[in-house]
Amino acid sequence: MVQLAPAAAMDEVTFRSDTVLSDVHLYTPNHRHLMVRLNSVGQPVFLSQFKLLWSQDSWTDSGAKGGDHGHVHTKEPPSAETGSTGSPTGSGHTQEEDDVLGEEAQGSPHDIIRIEHTMATPLEDVGKQVWRGALLLADYILFRQDLFRGCTVLELGAGTGLASIIAATVAQTVYCTDVGADLLAMCQRNIALNSHLAAAGGGVVKVKELDWLKDDLCTDPEVPFSWSQEEISDLYDHTTILFAAEVFYDDDLTDAVFKTLSRLAHRLKNACTAILSVEKRLNFTLRHLDVTCEAYDHFRSCLRALEQLADGKLRFVVEPVEASFPQLLVYERIQQLELWKIIAEPVT
């Protein structure tokens, strides 16, 4: 759990042995995090913003190490309706939030993604943080707009919803899924905070519960973020892209993700492509008395197993994606970040 310092130094967090902190929050472009509320389980929720580099220069600035964006000159991104104050209609952020964020909140609203998130959480709540893999996936979506444009897409383990928000700038319908009412409510809040970005591209984001440990989607109208029969039909009839970022840190969950991917691919009416983002994390383990990357190794073994799956209906083609595409979000693109593409197509 998180122990906070006095209110005057709210960003100073005291860590305990079960604390997990995303590197993004250590190197985020804005140095201050505005605490906006406590969530339903009493965790502080912060508001951070991530800079979008809508720049021709950045489209030629490629490479796994990231680039120096200090001299990038931004151009105007796709336009959207704005209110009289210059803020996008229905953007969801308050004047008080902008005042606290200060100069960092200035400029075109289309250059900034505002994300509510928690910091320094227990392992079971890491989905409430922002991770580098989500930013890498967002970069890829912006780079491959042709792949996503006008499509129905589904994100597995969306967390704060950052990648789904980016996908909505080009996709027609985005099903943004995860589990846990509190996490999904945060995700819904982030969709509202950035609704102007989706509106510019005509995209619609629907936040829904999808539990990898269950075979069927929840249709109970009494359950928050459940599915209607019309949404399920739309999902299965029109989805062509699946994507997930940083959900491969636990072997049991990784197994569940791949089982869900296979199950969905078999139920979808059309052939589909899955894009997976993962960070290869090195850890020293007492069991090996050495530095290993067990979670990543298990992820790779699941990729191999999926590729070798033979049921006479679908075949899965697994390909690595070279991370040399332009970086349009400000973060540290380290060499340990990887993207994988899985193409599911009928056996002929």
Side-chain angles (χ1 to χ4, degrees):
M1 299 295 291
V2 181
Q3 294 179 339
L4 292 175
M10 187 59 70
D11 283 348
E12 297 179 12
V13 178
T14 300
F15 296 96
R16 291 174 49 167
S17 59
D18 61 350
T19 296
V20 180
L21 175 65
S22 165
D23 289 336
V24 169
H25 302 317
L26 295 177
Y27 300 105
T28 191
N30 55 302
H31 300 294
R32 292 173 294 171
H33 304 281
L34 169 64
M35 179 182 167
V36 290
R37 60 186 172 87
L38 294 176
N39 61 21
S40 64
V41 294
Q43 295 169 330
V45 176
F46 297 85
L47 178 66
S48 293
Q49 53 186 354
F50 298 87
K51 179 73 173 177
L52 268 167
L53 304 172
W54 300 102
S55 166
Q56 287 291 73
D57 293 340
S58 66
W59 286 86
T60 60
D61 178 20
S62 60
K65 294 182 180 179
D68 178 7
H69 301 289
H71 301 289
V72 170
H73 300 286
T74 59
K75 64 177 182 179
E76 185 65 23
S79 62
E81 182 180 358
T82 60
S84 60
T85 63
S87 296
T89 303
S91 65
H93 63 92
T94 66
Q95 183 63 48
E96 179 183 10
E97 290 168 355
D98 282 349
D99 290 343
V100 176
L101 288 170
E103 294 180 359
E104 294 153 358
Q106 302 302 312
S108 168
H110 303 285
D111 295 336
I112 298 294
I113 298 176
R114 288 179 169 85
I115 296 292
E116 286 193 359
H117 59 89
T118 57
M119 293 174 61
T121 65
L123 183 62
E124 61 267 22
D125 283 334
V126 292
K128 296 176 182 177
Q129 299 190 48
V130 179
W131 297 88
R132 278 187 295 221
L135 296 165
L136 179 72
L137 179 57
D139 270 342
Y140 183 74
I141 293 169
L142 291 168
F143 174 62
R144 288 300 312 272
Q145 294 186 40
D146 59 312
L147 181 64
F148 288 80
R149 182 170 287 111
C151 294
T152 298
V153 303
L154 168 70
E155 181 174 13
L156 295 167
T160 62
L162 188 147
S164 282
I165 291 168
I166 292 296
T169 64
V170 285
Q172 176 177 316
T173 303
V174 179
Y175 287 103
C176 176
T177 72
D178 215 309
V179 292
D182 189 65
L183 174 59
L184 291 170
M186 174 186 287
C187 195
Q188 184 72 72
R189 168 69 171 161
N190 285 329
I191 302 301
L193 281 170
N194 299 280
S195 60
H196 57 291
L197 294 175
V204 175
V205 187
K206 298 186 177 184
V207 178
K208 297 294 174 182
E209 177 185 294
L210 197 160
D211 190 336
W212 307 332
L213 302 179
K214 297 179 180 178
D215 289 340
D216 297 314
L217 302 175
C218 178
T219 57
D220 184 350
E222 300 298 319
V223 176
F225 305 103
S226 61
W227 298 73
S228 69
Q229 290 298 335
E230 291 77 12
E231 289 166 338
I232 292 176
S233 296
D234 179 59
L235 174 75
Y236 291 146
D237 289 348
H238 299 113
T239 299
T240 55
I241 304 289
L242 308 173
F243 56 99
E246 295 282 47
V247 296
F248 307 106
Y249 55 89
D250 174 89
D251 289 357
D252 291 338
L253 289 179
T254 297
D255 291 340
V257 174
F258 276 92
K259 181 180 178 180
T260 299
L261 279 173
S262 177
R263 182 172 66 247
L264 288 171
H266 280 84
R267 293 180 180 178
L268 296 180
K269 181 179 180 179
N270 301 299
C272 69
T273 299
I275 310 296
L276 308 180
S277 175
V278 62
E279 182 173 336
K280 183 178 181 180
R281 291 185 172 85
L282 303 175
N283 298 291
F284 181 86
T285 63
L286 292 176
R287 183 157 62 93
H288 295 93
L289 293 178
D290 198 0
V291 175
T292 65
C293 43
E294 292 182 282
Y296 173 81
D297 291 341
H298 187 74
F299 165 76
R300 291 295 302 272
S301 71
C302 288
L303 281 178
R304 290 190 293 270
L306 186 66
E307 195 168 28
Q308 295 166 6
L309 183 65
D311 60 8
K313 298 179 180 179
L314 289 179
R315 72 185 187 104
F316 294 89
V317 179
V318 178
E319 303 173 353
V321 177
E322 181 66 33
S324 58
F325 45 88
Q327 184 170 338
L328 295 181
L329 285 153
V330 178
Y331 64 101
E332 185 184 18
R333 188 186 286 187
I334 61 174
Q335 293 181 344
Q336 288 76 24
L337 287 172
E338 294 184 1
L339 277 181
W340 291 83
K341 179 189 296 184
I342 302 172
I343 302 172
E345 51 191 16
V347 174
T348 57

